[in-house]
Amino acid sequence: MNVLVTGGAGFIGSHFVKSLLLDDDIAKVTVLDALTYAGHVENLGKAFLDPRLSFVHGSILDGVLVEQVMAAGQTHVVHFAAESHVDRSLQAGGPFVQTNVMGTQVLVDAASRHQVERFVHVSTDEVYGPLAEGMATEDSPLLPTVPYAASKAASDLIALSAYRTYGLGVCVTRSSNCYGPAQYPEKIIPLFATRLLRGEPVTLHGRGEHVRNWLHVADNCQGIGAVMRGGVPGEVYNIAGGTDLTNAQLTEMLLEVCGAGPELVTYVPDRRANDRRYAMDWSKIANQLGYRPERDLMTELAATVDWYRRNPERWAPLLQAPYPLAVPAGV
Ligand code: NAD
């Protein structure tokens, strides 16, 4: 298998690349990454020692480059590259539409031309929008509320249209919230952990009542890998099975593992768009592809915080940096 991984220098993509390289049937892994504020080659670390890995610095929006990379014998594409932070999308949705929607179009066009066997489009539970009760199945309507989720929903449909129109072997994965080492410290777990480790306060919206399902990044990678190998073209697979927590409960756990007190938690009024609860039924991937999440939240949360404790050089400089709105290379 020759696998092109877009966004492979980001959080989930880099974990996925490392998991791929553990398998003997992987002949070549090519990472295509624009190295926006969220992408760091350090995330790939020792993977660079593996001669099967090559890295291409560039944007999925660069049609000429994408054509060149796709023509180099890719059999599989796993597409992670995206603008991924909801809060940034509330400030400016444009880069989200550019990267997530237009970028996906460029990739599926090139993958269709080169008759790639399997194209896994990595998406999110947020496309289903908030659910007061029950769980979204793969057939539930797409009702995104925020610009990030809307751009991901649009990109899901673009990817699936390439299956219907050109017969490209597209599968879509939709996963719940991921956590683990080396996540950019703007997402809630690394943001809170890096603040609490420095004795700084953290802020919850409302009373911290929003519910998310927390899935370890390795479990998500296991699910994405199962879909890459055995997913049925044209199908969508929900990947969840982590732990449902309100943000207040998550914060309590983080206080405990960081050794911090409740006086560091402050509250601000909720923002206008803040989906109350996401929940997905993941029985399809479990029954059809044998997916089973294995990681225990409390154990892995402690291991994640420990990674931030031991590797300040990986995140402290990022906190100093201005908060740039990412403009992908090539645009
Ligand atoms: P991330 O922000 O950590 O990484 C995104 C990567 O994409 C970075 O390496 C960045 O440099 C790269 N990138 C951005 N624009 C690019 C472009 N134009 N061309 C090439 N590369 C580009 O994101 P993540 O958290 O690892 O998420 C990866 C994927 O998984 C995204 O598609 C996201 O929507 C999805 N997802 C994430 C979560 C989560 O909890 N993090 C949950 C569900 C789904």
Side-chain angles (χ1 to χ4, degrees):
M1 256 182 243
N2 294 337
V3 188
L4 170 62
V5 181
T6 72
F11 169 50
I12 308 175
S14 59
H15 282 272
F16 184 74
V17 166
K18 290 179 201 163
S19 71
L20 271 184
L21 292 171
L22 297 175
D23 290 328
D24 292 338
D25 64 346
I26 302 295
K28 198 173 75 162
V29 177
T30 305
V31 170
L32 172 61
D33 199 299
L35 298 179
T36 66
Y37 78 97
H40 298 275
V41 285
E42 294 81 1
N43 287 345
L44 290 165
K46 289 187 183 146
F48 278 113
L49 298 175
D50 192 315
R52 294 173 297 167
L53 177 67
S54 53
F55 183 85
V56 179
H57 181 197
S59 173
I60 56 169
L61 286 155
D62 181 341
V64 174
L65 177 66
V66 168
E67 177 67 23
Q68 208 181 320
V69 170
M70 207 67 80
Q74 310 299 343
T75 59
H76 293 66
V77 177
V78 185
H79 173 34
F80 293 92
E83 286 301 329
S84 70
H85 190 42
V86 174
D87 292 11
R88 286 177 184 252
S89 80
L90 302 180
Q91 290 171 18
F96 287 74
V97 175
Q98 282 285 339
T99 298
N100 301 358
V101 182
M102 301 301 293
T104 299
Q105 183 71 58
V106 171
L107 283 170
V108 294
D109 283 349
S112 301
R113 275 194 298 276
H114 290 279
Q115 298 180 327
V116 161
E117 282 172 38
R118 191 61 45 90
F119 186 105
V120 181
H121 174 70
V122 177
S123 189
T124 166
D125 58 359
E126 301 193 28
V127 299
Y128 296 120
L131 279 92
E133 55 190 25
M135 293 191 287
T137 69
E138 289 82 354
D139 296 325
S140 295
L142 301 184
L143 296 169
T145 58
V146 290
Y148 162 68
S151 71
K152 291 299 291 188
S155 64
D156 290 13
L157 298 179
I158 284 168
L160 288 167
S161 78
Y163 164 70
R164 296 194 188 102
T165 311
Y166 307 113
L168 179 65
V170 173
C171 294
V172 174
T173 65
R174 295 187 180 134
S175 88
S176 53
N177 275 30
C178 265
Y179 70 98
Q183 187 170 26
Y184 193 84
E186 64 186 355
K187 307 277 167 63
I188 185 168
I189 289 181
L191 176 70
F192 279 22
T194 55
R195 291 190 74 86
L196 295 171
L197 288 174
R198 288 174 298 149
E200 291 179 4
V202 296
T203 304
L204 280 173
H205 291 276
R207 299 307 299 169
E209 67 273 38
H210 308 90
V211 178
R212 302 291 183 260
N213 181 266
W214 289 102
L215 183 69
H216 191 266
V217 63
D219 284 328
N220 193 9
C221 289
Q222 182 216 328
I224 294 167
V227 171
M228 183 189 83
R229 287 168 187 282
V232 176
E235 293 293 316
V236 175
Y237 297 89
N238 290 345
I239 304 181
T243 307
D244 290 330
L245 292 175
T246 64
N247 285 343
Q249 290 169 323
L250 174 67
T251 304
E252 260 179 52
M253 294 175 87
L254 283 168
L255 289 174
E256 190 184 328
V257 290
C258 293
E263 69 285 357
L264 288 180
V265 183
T266 57
Y267 296 87
V268 292
D270 202 1
R271 63 186 191 215
R272 199 164 144 200
N274 198 353
D275 291 349
R276 196 57 174 249
R277 172 179 174 270
Y278 300 123
M280 286 189 301
D281 178 335
W282 49 281
S283 55
K284 178 176 173 180
I285 188 169
N287 294 338
Q288 296 182 10
L289 302 178
Y291 162 78
R292 294 279 177 278
E294 287 166 2
R295 276 82 185 171
D296 167 68
L297 179 80
M298 195 55 186
T299 311
E300 295 300 340
L301 206 54
T304 300
V305 168
D306 198 44
W307 184 90
Y308 285 92
R309 197 180 273 121
R310 285 185 290 102
N311 295 283
E313 75 290 352
R314 293 285 299 280
W315 52 266
L318 303 176
L319 301 177
Q320 312 297 324
Y323 196 63
L325 267 179
V327 179
V331 185

